[in-house]
């Protein structure tokens, strides 16, 4: 539905006779937006590196109020979803816009369960990778390769194709993730089982072997499900915006999700959970925390407290609070409450939150600060952390892709402030 202007912004530019009138739209929540689309016809571009103040699309999926630490998925607060819902129900909500009734919920769970296997030929893709390849490199490759197997459902204008693709991606990502782990360990792949829940199945594929099954602890399975749930979607973050931009060219959804995985890999984004554990290892002891806090505040030092700060949250990331509670539950279940890594993280958080640098810049723990400690306690290696993030974020990516593709959209094509050489004639090499 086209946006209706609720008011007008008037832009007057020095040296221009006429002011430029720009429509202002109001959303259901959050700041109003100024539509600058017709600025080009007036001879101007907007300029906003990093898209700090730019809304790139309309969306009804997720709302974040960064100042107040609010995260809503289709209007439901993340705290309530984490406490009362589960990951597959949230997947349904993100894709369909409403919570499922019992029949819809059971039907969705069954559909996902029956799409968890991957084509047997895909197993051979792994053999092309070194055993020590980073599992995110493998995930980028094999996820994109899924488009080589589903020619029956690549018409992005067909809603049924978009639906089955969403189901396939949500169902197969844990299988591919577990396969990338097993491959790195030189262990045989473990097939999914339909008698297990989504999180139980993932842990089974990760830790069972042909010689011995893996008995899943309900607490650990619940924690795994909650970790997927807390990562499911987060508005127009860098990887979701990558998926949207790739999708705006008409690329197939598997290729778009592979692009999202690649963007997520960076340590400033989804790679932060791995970077947090590496940072805590680097700090080594509570005694060194002050030294590293000082480094983090030094403009000339590239060191940053990983898992801290956020483009949108200028308050506590609500996911971090739930993750911290889950961390305590898991470590208590495992009988390692005095886990030195957790103790160092909690002390680092306490010192940072009391330090004026972090207070003034409104830097708080984000979703990545505690997630890695839980994953490590469960026995998942550090290099798999961002793979877990990518698996959890898949429904968000595909929901945003589907939201864009199922309505009117344009190819994304930003402009620039050009600061390079003006036109000049070519000079033959012997005359230079
Ligand atoms: C995720 O967008 C999303 O929603 C992402 C995500 C999702 O679910 O998709 O929430 C997941 O990516 C969480 C963020 C994970 N990344 C990290 O934990 C890496 C450490 N954090 C920083 O790199 C940083 O905070 C970012 C990248 C998260 C945000 O960067 P911004 O918004 O561009 O902010 P900035 O870099 O301009 O920082 C503002 C100031 C700067 O100082 P000044 O230039 O103003 O003097 O705060 C400082 C920064 O130097 N700062 C930090 C810091 N983060 C920001 N200083 C020390 N330690 C930090 N962690």
């Amino acid at each position: 539905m086209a946006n209706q202007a609720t008011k007008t912004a008037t832009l007057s530019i020095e040296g221009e006779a006429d002011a430029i009138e720009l429509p202002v739209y109001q959303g259901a929540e959050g700041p109003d937006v100024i539509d600058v689309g017709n600025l080009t016809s007036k001879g101007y571009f907007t300029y906003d590196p990093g898209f700090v103040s730019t809304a790139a699309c309309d969306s009804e999926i997720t709302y974040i109020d960064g100042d107040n630490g609010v995260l809503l998925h289709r209007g439901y607060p993340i705290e309530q979803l984490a406490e009362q819902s589960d990951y597959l129900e949230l997947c349904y909500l993100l894709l369909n816009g409403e919570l499922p009734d019992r029949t819809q919920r059971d039907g969705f769970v069954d559909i996902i369960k029956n799409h968890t296997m991957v084509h047997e030929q895909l197993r051979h893709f792994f053999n092309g990778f070194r055993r020590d390849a980073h599992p995110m490199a493998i995930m980028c490759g094999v996820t994109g390769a899924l488009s080589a197997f589903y020619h029956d459902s690549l018409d992005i204008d067909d809603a049924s194709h978009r639906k089955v693709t969403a189901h396939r991606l949500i169902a197969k990502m844990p299988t591919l993730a577990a396969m990338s782990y097993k491959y790195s360990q030189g262990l045989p792949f473990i097939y999914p089982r339909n008698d297990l829940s989504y999180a139980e199945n993932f842990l089974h594929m990760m830790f069972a072997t042909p010689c011995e099954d893996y008995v899943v602890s309900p607490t650990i399975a619940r924690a795994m499900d909650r970790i997927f749930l807390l990562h499911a979607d987060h508005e127009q973050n860098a990887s979701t915006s990558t998926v949207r931009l790739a999708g705006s060219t008409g690329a197939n959804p598997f290729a778009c999700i592979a692009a999202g995985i690649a963007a997520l890999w960076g340590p400033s984004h989804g790679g932060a959970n791995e970077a947090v554990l590496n940072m805590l290892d680097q700090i080594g002891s509570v005694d060194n925390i002050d030294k590293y806090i000082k480094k983090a505040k030094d403009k000339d030092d590239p060191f940053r407290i990983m898992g801290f700060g956020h483009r949108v949250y200028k308050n506590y990331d609500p996911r971090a609070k739930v993750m911290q509670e889950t961390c305590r539950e898991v470590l208590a279940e495992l009988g390692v409450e005095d886990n030195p890594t957790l103790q160092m993280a909690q002390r680092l958080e306490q010192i940072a939150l009391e330090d004026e640098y972090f207070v003034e810049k409104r830097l708080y723990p984000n979703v990545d600060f505690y997630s890695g400690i839980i994953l490590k306690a469960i026995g998942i290696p550090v290099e798999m952390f961002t793979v877990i993030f990518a698996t959890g974020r898949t429904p968000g990516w595909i929901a945003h892709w589907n939201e864009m593709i199922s309505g009117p959209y344009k190819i994304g094509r930003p402009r620039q402030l050009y600061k390079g050489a003006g036109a000049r004639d070519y000079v033959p090499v012997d005359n230079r």
Side-chain angles (χ1 to χ4, degrees), residues 118 139 232 295 359 366 374 400 408:
V118 294
M139 291 299 286
K295 281 170 64 69
V359 171
N366 59 50
I374 305 173
H400 281 276

Side-chain angles (χ1 to χ4, degrees), residues 234 237 267-270 272 296 299 304-311 319 357-358 361 363 366-368 389 393:
H234 212 241
N237 59 85
S268 290
H269 189 14
K299 296 303 294 171
R304 285 194 165 180
I305 305 293
M306 302 313 280
F308 253 75
H310 198 279
R311 170 63 59 77
R319 302 168 297 174
Y357 172 92
F358 288 83
K361 293 184 185 299
L363 301 172
N366 59 50
V367 67
D368 294 302
F389 193 148
R393 182 52 54 89

Side-chain angles (χ1 to χ4, degrees), residues 299-326:
K299 296 303 294 171
D300 300 323
D301 191 323
F303 178 81
R304 285 194 165 180
I305 305 293
M306 302 313 280
F308 253 75
H310 198 279
R311 170 63 59 77
V312 178
Y313 289 122
K314 301 309 175 189
N315 198 321
Y316 233 98
D317 180 334
R319 302 168 297 174
K321 286 184 180 172
V322 178
M323 201 70 85
Q324 185 179 35
E325 189 45 43
T326 304

Side-chain angles (χ1 to χ4, degrees), residues 6-81:
T6 52
K7 50 191 172 187
T8 300
T10 304
L11 179 61
S12 58
I13 301 174
E14 195 176 326
E16 298 282 351
D18 302 327
I20 302 170
E21 299 224 325
L22 301 169
V24 178
Y25 307 133
Q26 185 178 42
E29 298 275 359
D32 291 353
V33 297
I34 302 172
D35 182 344
V36 295
N38 73 348
L39 269 185
T40 307
S41 66
K42 309 290 185 185
Y44 289 93
F45 295 149
T46 59
Y47 182 66
D48 184 18
F51 308 121
V52 177
S53 305
T54 295
C57 63
D58 303 345
S59 183
E60 300 177 8
I61 299 172
T62 289
Y63 172 67
I64 302 170
D65 174 347
D67 289 334
N68 296 301
V70 172
L71 170 56
L72 307 177
H73 290 312
R74 301 286 190 177
Y76 296 97
I78 189 65
E79 297 88 345
Q80 293 184 29
L81 292 166

